[in-house]
Each structure stands twice: as structure tokens, then as C-alpha cells.
Amino acid sequence: MRHFTSVQEIGDLKQALENARYVKQNPFADQSLGHNKTLMLIFFNSSLRTRLSTQKAGMNLGMNVIVLDINQGAWKLETEQGVVMDGDKPEHILEAIPVMGSYCDVIGVRSFAQFENKENDYNELILNQFIRYSGKPVFSMEAATRHPLQSFADLITIEEYKKRERPKVVLTWAPHPRALPQAVPNSFAEWMNATDYEFVITHPEGYELDPQFVGDATVEYDKEKAYRDADFIYAKNWAAYRDPHYGKVLSTDRTWTVDAAKMALTNDAYFMHCLPVRRNMIVSDDVIDSARSIVIPEAANRVVSAQTVLKEILLSI
Ligand code: AN0
Ligand code: CP
């Protein structure tokens, strides 16, 4: 594997899960792989889990790790090509990317959708420029349309907790006061569609995701019906995808908050969320504080997904 941006590059899922199990059981077995290799993590947006878990994954593999927050201390970067740079951005990404590439062996990038131009977001303008101009393997730490390290960790977690071979997994939209990207639900859908699970997406009308990610998942607008007999409830907010409301908050309807009454409809489902989560908006305190909540082991598996992917990248260079 050279670049990692989606489920596509992970190859066979069963093999990837096998690799993840090995990494989890033997976290320090491959320290020599990363010896004298530098991992550079570039953040255009905030992060707690991705920043820490990916650093930890690199360190477990014996790598040196450099973290850069573009918005704190670096020059503001122009990302559009062909513009007259007479504004507030002193440096162009066309120089910044190859310079960063020259200081490292592998690059991780976090760059959310900006909700200014759907085409730019859905063409992954920033991530693709890193792939094109850095000269180094690049992996996504959540880009405009996907968050594959999160989805891989989610899959690992479901495999660890599932009680039946083909669990029913439900992705539910939940309310949030601000506009959030579709990357997490898009990516989760893409990874769930690659399994043989029963996969259902539920959301209010107007929150339809890009059909390329929904694939052949069942979309059920009746949330109570969707929850019925579920083994996993995976909650996430996202802003509208469809035009003319792209990037807009259309509803903060708290009947969509994951609560004990809806969880009671399930097959004693586990509750999952990628975090950070707003309590009593996305999920009620009693659900996230219950024994059915697996958000902490889910977050812990972020080290495992990152290390499994980084190991594959190191094996290819
Ligand atoms: C981000 C999102 O919704 O994409 C990151 C989640 C991992 N969340 C927020 O910005 C709150
Ligand atoms: N789940 C996740 O990616 O969290 P951070 O935004 O804190 O990295």
C-alpha cells in the first residue's frame, strides 16, 4: 500500500482484520520497520484522537514523529492554483507540500470539507495535492469526504463485540448545533458496505448522503423501525449533502438524539460514536454512560487501525 485514502486501498477486509489483530497483540513487534523513518502529521483542523493515536502508532513502529498544526505557527497556505497572492496567505501549497515532503518519509493529512465549494470538497482538492506534489506516501487523517482510519477502527471494534456473524449495524443521524462534514458517515457507509453485515442508514428527510457512499445500504426514514433488532447503533451528525442545502444545518430535531427509549427497541445494541460527541444532543447521558457504550474501546482501536495502515505503508517503501 502506498497511499491510504479509502477502503479501496486496504484490500481484502478479512486479511486487514487479521493484520490488525496481530498489531494489537504485538504492538512492538515491528519497531525496526520504522527505524530512522520520519512520520509527518499535518493538521488543517483540530484533533484529539487522531493526533495522539497516529503519533502513538508511529512510535510503536519505531518512527520519529513530527506534528504540524498549519493554523498555529505555520504560514497561512493558499490552496487555489493560478490566483494572484495579494491577500492574507503568504505561502502557496505548491511550495509548502514538496518542502514538507522533503523532511519526511510518510505524510498524514487532516483537511476537512470547507463547505464553500462542493466540487472542491468532493474532488478532495487538498488531499490530492499532497499525493501529487509531496513525492511521499500520503494517508488521510480525515479528509473532505472520508475518515478511513476511523472507519477501520470502527470495523475492528464491531468485529470484537459482535455476537452474531452478520450483525445489524445502524448508522443514525443525530442533532448538532453546527454544520459537520459528511466524511465520517460517508466513510463508515463505505466500509460497512464492504462487509456482509446488515447495514441500515436512518436520517431525517433532506439529509441524504452522496449515493456513491450509500451504495446498496438500506435507507430507512422511520428511525424506530431502523433501530429494531439492531446490534450496533452508530450515531453521527452531518450537514446536508444535497443541493441547494450543501453544508447547511436543516434540523436540530432532538427526537433523533440516541436515548434509552430508542435503545430499548434494539437487540441490546452497543452504542458507538467516533467522538468528540455532544452529550444530550447526539446521545443522552444515560446511554453513553451505560455498559452498552463502547466509545472508549472504539477510540482505543484508533491506534490499531493507524498502526496497521502505517505498517503496510512502511513495508511498501
Ligand atoms: C469532526 C467531524 O464531524 O467530521 C471530526 C470527527 C472525527 N467533528 C467535529 O468537528 C465536531
Ligand atoms: N474521532 C476522531 O477522529 O477524533 P479527533 O477529531 O479528536 O481526531
Side-chain angles (χ1 to χ4, degrees), residues 46 49-50 110 112 142 147 150 176 179-185 236-237 273-278 302:
S46 305
R49 277 142 293 273
T50 305
R110 164 162 287 201
F112 290 175
E142 184 172 342
H147 192 359
Q150 180 66 50
H176 189 277
L180 297 185
Q182 294 105 25
V184 170
K236 183 69 183 84
N237 172 268
H273 189 280
C274 63
L275 308 182
V277 71
R278 290 191 186 231
R302 290 294 306 278

Side-chain angles (χ1 to χ4, degrees), residues 189-226:
E190 193 169 61
W191 284 68
M192 289 301 104
N193 282 328
T195 69
D196 60 2
Y197 303 162
E198 182 183 350
F199 179 52
V200 177
I201 305 175
T202 185
H203 56 70
E205 299 218 16
Y207 278 100
E208 290 75 13
L209 293 164
D210 182 347
Q212 71 162 312
F213 294 103
V214 175
D216 54 13
T218 303
V219 177
E220 175 56 70
Y221 292 98
D222 178 343
K223 51 185 167 333
E224 277 76 20
K225 201 166 159 199

Side-chain angles (χ1 to χ4, degrees), residues 69-78 88-92 96:
D69 286 295
I70 292 286
N71 298 323
Q72 280 168 21
W75 303 107
K76 263 195 178 173
L77 293 181
E78 178 58 65
D88 65 339
K89 295 171 179 160
E91 177 150 31
H92 203 285

Side-chain angles (χ1 to χ4, degrees), residues 14 108 203-204 259 307:
K14 289 229 152 50
H203 56 70
D259 59 12
Q307 193 172 336

Side-chain angles (χ1 to χ4, degrees), residues 227-248:
Y227 270 67
R228 219 159 286 149
D229 209 28
D231 297 295
F232 294 88
I233 296 294
Y234 189 99
K236 183 69 183 84
N237 172 268
W238 62 88
Y241 166 75
R242 282 191 179 170
D243 296 325
H245 302 298
Y246 178 66
K248 297 282 186 294

